[in-house]
């Protein structure tokens, strides 16, 4: 029911007749208070009419919305496989729903609702106290958490930034669902609103958390429905707490067998069947992630008695489709656990094994750790799994931890003579690594000239390519068409390192040898750490290379360099430098000439930059200018009450009524010329408003002028606060917000007999404003003077 009504109300006589019973009851209570006070007894508190819905009903709505949101928080925590994340999601849902309940029962509902994001930010900052960088690193922590979530498959590491995201997202979701349920008096809507988010969180669950996700998605929603069982808020308003508790217990007991059925179905692979098509298992284009100079760090350290300097494989591209080399699809069921035997390959296990120890330092947001080609066995102090398709090592979940140590057993690389005597791989298991479109004419001509031995044919083609092509640029993966290989063989233009390796892989397949593009790192850096010499690998060691399969040797890495490369003026410390590569015929010379740089920035760009620089200050000033009335009115209320306390009870009642009328003026529904009783005729019948109006009239003009008690003052305070709150709730949100920043009651208050805010008047501004307001009137007077002579002439005719 809206409090205000745009209508012509009853007359003063009708209003007095309507509220007469109320006033008589009020007089009786006041007289009883005075009599009791004279006898030395305690002054009873006046009864104020019921202004809020029952707490039990609102609590049920908030609890239902909170339980539904709790399901979202618990399932979101499953994305990280962390009970701490689940607990934080549960707490965020409780904070959101609880704050919505407090806001609904507060006299300052709008301010409480607006403070919700601030409360969640404070909670998030408190959760980052123990994180590296503390609360000041909140934005960086969130950015890093999102980057890790994109790079790592669930379960995602529960980094500190996720604490902020869970608290903000789940907390706001719980607050929104509970606020809608309370505001619309529709508790069922509070259950429904979080369900779409529950579905989104459910589809990103790791396989190990799917069963728990089903339970956590089902049980809280079932509990929320049980809370509302038996009818809506209007039908269950008068039910007692004993009935509520009994119904909740019955719901929990009924949920036990349902949860058992859910667990049985989950164990039977009914709820989470294997997908017919898994998009992750489809080959995908690799994403380039260049490491810039500010990311230079030690990725891992190498310790070996043998002269192994790489290449250190972290992945391979083995599918060629649509002129692009694609990375193999990911299938978790394909992974092999190395905890027991550590056997990677049974090829060349009888050969002399070299032991290479790798210590991970900071591999970044990656689950993959480096491995050498031809590795036969892995010994590790942590959990490692093997992807036999790409022959890569990885941790089962999350990112590779710093400090992980593992040892590789590797035979020496095959020599050229051994490969010349070997047979190129064949069979259905290598069909993808042999698939290639027909060679272009230029490549076919070279194939006709090459030897028939697979290794010698491959070596012939690679020598032609590396002798003709000129390297330039970085190794970002891009499409490499057949015609592009022909251009590189002809020595036309330049090519990136990735294009050269991709061309080698295509030439190997045309030569009849299974091939793929390996990527990772090549080479080591001799450094001293604490006075000890160590071999490190850094981002500048990133590389791609050709890998070919020969029976009896497996995947053999072939690292080659073109004979020529364009000189680079790049100063990036992560750029690779190979002293064996000669400069191309187009020599680049660094020449330093003194000259004055011209600023070619366009005018609109300069204006845009200046506007961007000034925008924060403008926004701050505009916010201060718009929002200062809110703070001013808070100060005014406090000042008025202190001023009234120094006077008598009559003044205190007047201040409380003046606060109501000033708030009505800010809402645009006030009239400063109406007396308290006259203003009653312009609103709907309201018991508390009528009681306050009669109390103010009797205290200011009637029989209570000299007979007011503290009970009357307390009643005026409570009635004024209650009527103001319900007056605001009856208005749209935008009207309430505008009322808080309105200057109407400051410029023209209901009464000037109580303190008000004195606005600073700048003389020349006030004069200019007066001239602007007077300009239309002056223009009208001049127009009338011009028309008068014409009127006289017309009348004379």
């Amino acid at each position: 029911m809206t409090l205000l009504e745009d209508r012509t109300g009853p007359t003063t006589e009708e209003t007095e007749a309507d509220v007469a019973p109320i006033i008589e009851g009020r007089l009786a209570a006041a007289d009883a208070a005075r009599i009791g006070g004279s006898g030395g007894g305690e002054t009873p508190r006046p009864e104020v009419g019921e202004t809020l819905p029952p707490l039990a009903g609102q609590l049920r709505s908030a609890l239902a919305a909170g339980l539904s949101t709790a399901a979202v928080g618990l399932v979101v925590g499953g994305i990280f496989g962390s009970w701490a994340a689940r607990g934080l999601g549960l707490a965020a849902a409780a904070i959101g729903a609880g704050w919505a309940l407090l806001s609904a029962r507060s006299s300052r509902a709008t301010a409480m609702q607006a403070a919700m994001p601030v409360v969640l930010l404070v909670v998030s900052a408190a959760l980052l106290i123990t994180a590296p960088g503390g609360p000041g690193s909140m934005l960086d922590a969130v950015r890093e958490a999102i980057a890790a979530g994109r790079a790592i498959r669930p379960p995602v590491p529960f980094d500190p930034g996720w604490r902020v995201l869970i608290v903000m997202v789940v907390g706001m979701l719980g607050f929104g669902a509970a606020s809608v349920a309370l505001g619309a008096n529709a508790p069922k809507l509070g259950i429904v609103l979080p369900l779409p988010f529950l579905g989104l969180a459910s589809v990103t669950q790791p396989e190990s958390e799917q069963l728990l996700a089903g339970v956590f998605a089902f049980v809280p929603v079932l509990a929320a429905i049980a809370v509302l069982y038996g009818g809506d808020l209007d039908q269950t308003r008068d039910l007692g707490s004993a009935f509520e508790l009994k119904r909740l217990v019955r719901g929990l007991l009924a949920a036990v067998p349902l949860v058992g059925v859910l667990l049985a179905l989950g164990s039977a692979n009914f709820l989470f069947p294997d997908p017919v098509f898994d998009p992750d298992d489809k080959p995908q284009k690799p994403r380039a992630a260049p490491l810039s100079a500010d990311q230079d760090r030690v990725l891992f350290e190498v310790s070996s008695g043998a002269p192994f300097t790489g290449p250190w494989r972290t992945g391979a591209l083995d599918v060629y489709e649509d002129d692009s080399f694609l990375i193999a699809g990911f299938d978790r069921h394909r992974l092999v656990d190395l905890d027991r035997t550590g056997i990677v390959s049974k090829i060349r296990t009888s050969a002399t094994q070299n032991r290479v120890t790798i210590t991970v330092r900071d591999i970044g947001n990656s689950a993959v750790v480096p491995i050498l080609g031809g590795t036969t066995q892995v010994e590790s102090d942590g959990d490692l799994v093997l992807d036999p398709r790409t022959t890569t090592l990885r941790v089962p979940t999350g990112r590779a931890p710093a400090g992980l140590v593992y040892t590789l057993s590797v035979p020496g690389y095959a020599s050229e003579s051994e490969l010349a005597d070997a047979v190129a791989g064949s069979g259905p298991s290598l069909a993808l690594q042999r698939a290639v479109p027909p060679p272009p004419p230029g490549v076919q001509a070279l194939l006709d000239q090459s030897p028939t031995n697979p290794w010698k044919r491959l070596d012939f083609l690679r020598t032609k390519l590396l002798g003709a092509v000129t390297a330039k640029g970085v190794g970002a993966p891009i499409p490499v068409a057949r015609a592009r290989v022909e251009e590189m063989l002809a020595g036309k233009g330049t090519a990136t390192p990735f294009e050269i390796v991709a061309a080698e892989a295509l030439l190997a397949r045309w030569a009849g040898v299974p091939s793929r593009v390996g990527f990772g790192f090549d080479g080591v850096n001799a450094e001293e750490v604490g006075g000890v010499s160590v071999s490190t690998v850094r981002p500048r060691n990133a590389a791609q290379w050709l890998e070919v399969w020969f029976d009896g040797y497996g995947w053999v890495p072939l690292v080659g360099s073109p004979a020529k490369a364009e000189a680079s003026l790049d100063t990036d410390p992560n750029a690779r430098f190979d002293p064996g590569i000669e400069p191309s015929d187009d020599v680049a010379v660094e020449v330093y000439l003194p000259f004055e740089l011209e600023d070619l920035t366009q005018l609109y760009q300069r204006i845009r930059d200046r506007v961007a620089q000034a925008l924060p200050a403008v926004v701050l000033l505009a916010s201060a200018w718009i929002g200062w009335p809110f703070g001013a009115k808070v100060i005014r209320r406090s000042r008025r009450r202190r001023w009234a306390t120094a006077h008598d009870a009559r003044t205190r009642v007047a201040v409380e009524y003046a606060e109501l009328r000033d708030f009505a003026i800010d809402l645009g529904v006030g009239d400063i010329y109406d007396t308290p009783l006259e203003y009653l005729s312009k609103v709907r019948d309201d018991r508390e408003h009528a009681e306050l109006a009669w109390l103010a009239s009797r205290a200011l003009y009637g029989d209570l002028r000299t007979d007011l008690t503290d009970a009357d003052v307390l009643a005026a305070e409570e009635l004024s606060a209650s009527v103001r709150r319900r007056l605001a709730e009856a208005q749209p949100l935008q009207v309430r917000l505008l009322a808080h920043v309105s200057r109407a009651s400051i410029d023209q208050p209901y009464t000037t007999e109580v303190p008000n805010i004195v606005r600073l008047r700048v003389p020349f501004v006030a004069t200019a404003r007066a001239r602007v307001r007077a300009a239309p009137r002056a223009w009208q007077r001049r127009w009338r003077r011009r028309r008068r002579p014409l009127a006289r002439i017309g009348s004379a005719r």
Side-chain angles (χ1 to χ4, degrees):
M1 180 185 72
T2 56
L3 182 62
L4 295 177
E5 183 180 36
D6 294 331
R7 63 176 176 85
T8 304
T11 62
T12 304
E13 292 77 6
E14 292 174 340
T15 304
E16 293 176 0
D18 292 339
V19 301
I22 301 174
I23 301 305
E24 292 176 359
R26 181 66 191 169
L27 288 173
D31 293 340
R34 294 186 188 90
I35 295 173
S38 62
E42 183 179 358
T43 302
R45 179 173 176 172
E47 296 182 358
V48 181
E50 186 182 32
T51 61
L52 290 173
L55 176 60
Q58 288 191 320
L59 181 60
R60 182 168 53 252
S61 297
L63 181 59
L67 286 171
S68 184
T69 310
V72 179
L74 291 170
V75 175
V76 166
I79 298 175
F80 310 95
S82 168
W83 286 100
R86 292 188 180 99
L88 187 59
L90 193 63
I95 292 173
W99 194 266
L101 179 61
L102 290 176
S103 301
R105 302 193 65 82
S106 173
S107 60
R108 301 177 182 274
T110 303
M112 290 282 288
Q113 292 171 356
M116 183 58 191
V118 179
V119 172
L120 294 179
L121 281 175
V122 171
V123 174
S124 302
L127 292 173
L128 291 180
I129 292 177
T130 59
S137 62
M138 181 180 296
L139 294 179
D140 293 336
V142 171
R143 192 180 301 112
E144 293 172 1
I146 294 175
R150 292 175 177 174
I152 301 175
R153 291 179 174 85
V156 178
F158 190 48
D159 295 332
W162 289 114
R163 306 175 195 172
V164 180
L165 293 174
I166 288 179
V167 168
M168 295 299 297
V169 174
V170 179
M172 288 302 298
L173 178 62
F175 175 74
S179 297
V180 171
L182 293 169
N185 196 19
K188 296 176 183 177
L189 189 59
I191 299 178
V192 174
L193 289 178
L195 295 185
F197 299 91
L198 181 62
L200 290 175
S202 299
V203 299
T204 57
Q205 295 295 304
E207 184 177 359
S208 60
E209 305 294 330
Q210 289 178 351
L211 185 58
L212 279 177
V215 175
F216 288 142
F218 176 73
V219 173
V221 176
L222 181 64
I225 296 174
V227 168
L228 298 180
Y229 178 79
D232 58 15
L233 199 61
D234 294 330
Q235 296 173 335
T236 59
R237 187 182 301 275
D238 298 328
L239 297 178
S241 57
F243 176 82
E244 298 288 341
L245 181 60
K246 186 183 300 183
R247 186 171 61 185
L248 180 60
V249 172
R250 286 202 305 264
L252 292 176
L253 293 177
V256 172
L258 293 177
V259 173
V261 173
L262 181 66
L263 292 174
L265 294 176
S267 302
N269 199 26
F270 178 79
L271 293 180
F272 301 100
D274 293 331
V276 178
F277 171 75
D278 187 359
D280 284 342
D281 198 20
K282 182 181 179 181
Q284 301 176 8
K285 290 185 177 181
R287 292 178 297 177
L291 298 171
S292 60
D294 58 352
Q295 294 174 311
D296 185 29
R297 62 191 186 275
V298 176
L299 302 177
F300 55 93
E301 297 176 0
V302 179
S303 175
S304 172
F308 277 101
T309 60
W312 316 99
R313 183 198 302 127
T314 58
L317 312 177
D318 61 358
V319 179
Y320 185 75
E321 291 181 359
D322 300 329
D323 298 336
S324 297
F325 274 96
L326 308 179
I327 193 169
F330 178 79
D331 185 2
R332 192 172 294 278
H333 298 287
R334 192 174 62 214
L335 302 179
V336 178
D337 194 350
L338 297 178
D339 285 347
R340 296 181 180 178
T341 61
I343 295 177
V344 176
S345 173
K346 296 182 179 181
I347 300 175
R348 303 186 68 195
T349 54
S350 59
T352 302
Q353 304 292 311
N354 302 286
R355 295 176 62 83
V356 180
T357 300
I358 296 178
T359 303
V360 176
R361 293 306 181 193
D362 186 3
I363 206 72
N365 292 323
S366 174
V368 181
V369 294
I371 188 175
L372 284 169
T375 298
T376 59
Q377 190 173 2
V378 176
E379 301 173 15
S380 172
D381 59 355
D383 294 335
L384 289 176
V385 294
L386 173 72
D387 186 347
R389 166 72 179 275
T390 57
T391 326
T392 53
L393 287 178
R394 59 187 302 129
V395 293
T397 59
R399 63 168 65 89
L404 174 64
V405 179
Y406 57 97
T407 301
L408 309 176
S409 297
V410 190
Y413 289 139
S415 63
E416 293 188 16
S417 59
E418 291 174 331
L419 294 177
D421 296 334
V423 178
S426 60
S429 61
L430 295 173
L432 287 175
Q433 290 77 15
R434 295 173 60 92
V436 67
V443 175
Q444 185 61 53
L446 288 176
L447 288 172
D448 295 338
Q449 304 172 15
S450 61
T452 57
N453 180 277
W455 166 253
K456 292 182 180 180
R457 174 179 289 194
L458 173 60
D459 185 58
F460 173 78
L461 295 176
R462 291 182 67 235
T463 302
K464 288 289 186 180
L465 175 68
L466 297 178
V469 70
T470 299
K472 179 182 179 181
V474 296
I478 58 175
V480 179
R482 295 179 300 160
R484 181 66 177 137
V485 178
E486 198 170 23
E487 291 177 0
M488 285 186 274
L489 285 169
K492 297 179 180 179
T494 60
T496 66
F498 179 82
E499 288 180 302
I500 297 173
V501 174
E504 288 183 284
L506 290 175
L507 290 174
R509 295 188 181 188
W510 283 322
V513 180
S515 65
R516 66 185 185 183
V517 177
F519 60 87
F521 306 93
D522 186 27
V524 294
N525 309 294
E527 301 182 21
E528 286 193 6
V529 178
V532 179
S533 298
V534 295
S535 297
T536 65
V537 176
R538 293 178 173 270
R540 59 172 172 263
N541 297 106
Q544 308 94 27
W545 59 87
L546 171 66
E547 290 190 351
V548 292
W549 178 281
F550 283 92
D551 291 343
Y553 295 94
W555 287 110
V556 179
L558 301 177
V559 180
S561 299
K564 298 179 181 180
E566 279 197 358
S568 174
L569 305 182
D570 191 4
T571 58
D572 185 356
N574 289 333
R576 292 293 307 275
F577 173 72
D578 190 342
I581 300 178
E582 298 179 356
S584 68
D585 297 334
D586 299 328
V587 180
V589 180
E590 298 186 25
V591 180
Y592 297 92
L593 297 176
F595 64 95
E596 182 179 359
L597 291 174
E598 296 182 8
D599 189 358
L600 301 180
T601 306
Q602 300 293 328
L603 178 60
Y604 79 92
Q605 293 176 320
R606 300 183 188 179
I607 297 175
R608 180 189 61 193
D609 294 341
R610 297 297 180 269
V611 170
Q613 292 175 359
L615 187 60
V618 172
V619 171
L620 182 61
L621 292 175
S623 301
W625 173 250
I626 294 174
W628 74 264
F630 176 78
K633 283 181 278 191
V634 172
I635 296 173
R636 180 180 67 181
R637 184 180 302 117
S638 176
R639 185 183 300 170
R640 284 177 172 178
R641 287 175 175 171
R642 289 197 305 269
W643 172 79
T645 303
H647 291 73
D648 53 8
R650 178 170 172 263
T651 306
R652 295 170 65 185
V653 172
V655 164
E656 295 304 325
Y657 186 78
E659 283 293 316
L660 169 63
R661 296 297 296 274
D662 283 340
F663 185 62
I665 292 172
D666 289 329
L667 286 172
V669 294
D671 189 343
I672 62 174
Y673 300 108
D674 284 339
T675 64
L677 296 180
E678 288 174 341
Y679 191 62
L680 283 176
S681 63
K682 297 186 178 180
V683 300
R684 284 189 175 183
D685 296 336
D686 182 77
R687 178 176 179 272
E688 290 188 352
H689 185 201
E691 190 172 355
L692 177 62
W694 278 98
L695 177 61
S697 298
R698 295 178 63 196
L700 297 176
Y701 320 115
D703 58 326
L704 298 181
R705 295 182 64 182
T706 59
D707 199 19
L708 283 174
T709 65
D710 291 339
D712 295 316
V713 175
L714 179 60
E717 293 176 357
E718 294 182 350
L719 290 170
S720 177
S722 177
V723 175
R724 289 201 308 270
R725 178 182 59 79
R726 290 182 294 111
L727 189 64
E729 291 177 352
Q731 315 305 318
L733 177 62
Q734 60 271 24
V735 174
R736 280 183 275 171
L737 294 177
L738 290 175
H740 285 303
V741 297
S742 173
R743 299 172 175 82
S745 65
I746 297 177
D747 293 338
Q748 194 172 17
Y750 173 67
T751 176
T752 58
E753 295 175 315
V754 298
N756 191 28
I757 297 297
V758 179
R759 295 183 61 181
L760 178 63
R761 302 288 183 178
V762 182
F764 69 88
V765 173
T767 304
R769 184 180 299 156
R771 290 179 179 177
V772 170
R773 293 177 179 176
R777 300 175 183 176
W779 177 82
Q780 291 175 359
R781 288 195 296 270
R782 287 196 298 270
W783 177 253
R784 289 170 184 169
R785 284 196 295 268
R786 290 178 181 179
R787 292 185 58 188
R788 285 171 185 169
L790 296 177
R792 285 197 296 271
I793 294 174
S795 61
R797 292 180 180 178

